[in-house]
Amino acid sequence: MKLTVLYRGPLSSCNYGCEYCPFGKWKHTDEELEKDRADLERFLAWVEARTGDTVSVFFTPWGEALIWPWYQQALARLTHLPHVERVAAQTNLSCKLDWVKDCRAEKLGIWATYHPEWMKRRRFVAQCETLTALGVRHSAGMVGFLRFAEEAEALRRELSDDTYLWINAVKDGQEEPYTSEDIARFTAVDPLFPVNNVRHPSLGRACRGGESVISVDGEGTARRCHFIDEPIGNIYAPDFDQALRPRACAKATCGCHIGYVHMDYLELDRVFGSGILERVPVKPLWRRQDVPLREERKLLP
């Protein structure tokens, strides 16, 4: 079996305080942190035991995980397992990166989000440069608020040509909708922005969620993805594998990258290939900013 697990434990605290995020500057108690650590340890043991499968793990915490040593150690530990193909994590990249030397860098992927209100651009770029020097494939990105447009353009100029910069479209919570000029501006930074700026029709559509991709919480409860609450089972149950089967999407639309990227009809697996977890396209689309690629046009509804 080839299985991708999106792990999201109870950790929801963050060292940043973005006003649009409900977890900004939230702090856990020592007891809550200990539970998160114990849940993660149990999950790691489960992955270690699945030696007959090929497993990839993507850490998608509510808060910021990589400031905590047990998550750093988890990434290192998983990258050294022969049956683990890929290990990736979403992060604000505020942590020190000395732990990366303990990982097998060729298996590690980083999805880094730049928050200009909380980190200097030069430091964020330096962190990305360190990842490159360490041989870690990564993407960088920003939330596409209009007030961040100039900062996104500046970040694109300063990042290495080897680093893809994505823009997450703001579909709710923005004072005014994007104009055609706004879309063109963000697309010049991220050629795949038009794909993210769409709530893709998904009801009844085939999706790898629930079959070869699952979302798992700290209790081991598995769901087909982060956006459908209905559990399909618990990974710690002895008969869990029977729950893995093809399922049509039960939502009307899917507007988040970590969801729609697994929908069959969008064929985004061809766009991202082995970089699908850390959001790195196979081809350096961002180096061609004159016109959108045919592949991108094909993805739009």
Side-chain angles (χ1 to χ4, degrees):
M1 180 186 301
K2 193 168 185 177
L3 184 64
T4 296
V5 183
L6 280 59
Y7 180 80
R8 179 175 282 171
L11 183 75
S12 60
S13 57
C14 187
N15 56 333
Y16 286 180
C18 303
E19 78 280 1
Y20 53 83
C21 177
F23 306 105
K25 288 295 182 182
W26 182 266
K27 292 185 178 180
H28 272 115
T29 65
D30 290 344
E31 292 77 12
E32 289 169 333
L33 288 172
E34 186 54 41
K35 183 182 188 313
D36 180 74
R37 188 171 186 169
D39 287 349
L40 177 60
E41 178 61 35
R42 188 185 185 194
F43 172 71
L44 294 176
W46 177 82
V47 175
E48 288 174 331
R50 296 189 70 93
T51 55
D53 302 325
T54 299
V55 182
S56 294
V57 177
F58 185 21
F59 291 98
T60 63
W62 288 119
E64 174 55 37
L66 294 190
I67 57 175
W68 301 107
W70 56 90
Y71 279 97
Q72 299 172 4
Q73 294 158 10
L75 292 176
R77 182 168 155 187
L78 289 171
T79 61
H80 285 281
L81 296 177
H83 64 286
V84 169
E85 183 174 63
R86 199 85 191 136
V87 184
Q90 291 180 324
T91 175
N92 61 27
L93 215 54
S94 61
C95 64
K96 293 182 179 179
L97 295 174
D98 50 353
W99 55 272
V100 175
K101 68 181 184 301
D102 298 324
C103 301
R104 288 188 60 182
E106 69 274 14
K107 288 189 177 186
L108 181 63
I110 294 293
W111 163 320
T113 303
Y114 171 52
H115 298 280
E117 324 96 304
W118 295 94
M119 181 183 277
K120 296 292 186 182
R121 187 192 323 135
R122 183 59 243 168
R123 180 164 183 263
F124 183 84
V125 171
Q127 290 284 79
C128 291
E129 290 171 344
T130 297
L131 290 175
T132 297
L134 292 170
V136 177
R137 188 165 60 186
H138 61 283
S139 68
M142 295 179 63
V143 179
F145 285 112
L146 294 175
R147 64 181 182 273
F148 292 162
E150 288 187 10
E151 190 64 30
E153 292 164 340
L155 181 61
R156 177 63 278 170
R157 289 191 297 269
E158 293 189 23
L159 281 173
S160 163
D161 286 345
D162 294 329
T163 301
Y164 170 54
L165 174 59
W166 45 263
I167 303 293
N168 270 351
V170 179
K171 302 177 180 70
D172 297 300
Q174 189 143 246
E175 292 183 2
E176 298 180 1
Y178 295 123
T179 65
S180 58
E181 290 78 12
D182 296 330
I183 293 172
R185 189 176 186 182
F186 278 132
T187 302
V189 173
D190 173 12
L192 289 174
F193 178 75
V195 179
N196 187 260
N197 192 36
V198 172
R199 293 189 185 276
H200 298 279
S202 57
L203 184 63
R205 302 269 192 166
C207 180
R208 293 183 291 280
E211 180 183 11
S212 60
V213 181
I214 56 173
S215 168
V216 174
D217 66 19
E219 301 297 325
T221 301
R223 297 172 173 84
R224 63 182 83 178
C225 72
H226 286 329
F227 312 104
I228 298 178
D229 289 337
E230 179 188 6
I232 62 172
N234 189 290
I235 62 172
Y236 303 127
D239 60 347
F240 169 70
D241 287 4
Q242 298 176 25
L244 299 174
R245 57 178 174 79
R247 289 175 168 86
C249 185
K251 302 280 285 187
T253 62
C254 187
C256 182
H257 175 90
I258 59 174
Y260 66 67
V261 76
H262 300 296
M263 294 180 63
D264 289 349
Y265 86 95
L266 293 178
E267 298 185 340
L268 284 167
D269 54 328
R270 295 173 56 190
V271 175
F272 289 94
S274 63
I276 198 166
L277 297 186
E278 58 267 34
R279 201 171 178 174
V280 178
V282 174
K283 297 179 181 180
L285 310 178
W286 59 97
R287 295 182 188 173
R288 295 181 55 183
Q289 297 182 6
D290 49 343
V291 293
L293 300 182
R294 287 192 181 90
E295 289 88 343
E296 296 166 39
R297 291 198 186 102
K298 188 171 65 176
L299 291 172
L300 297 177

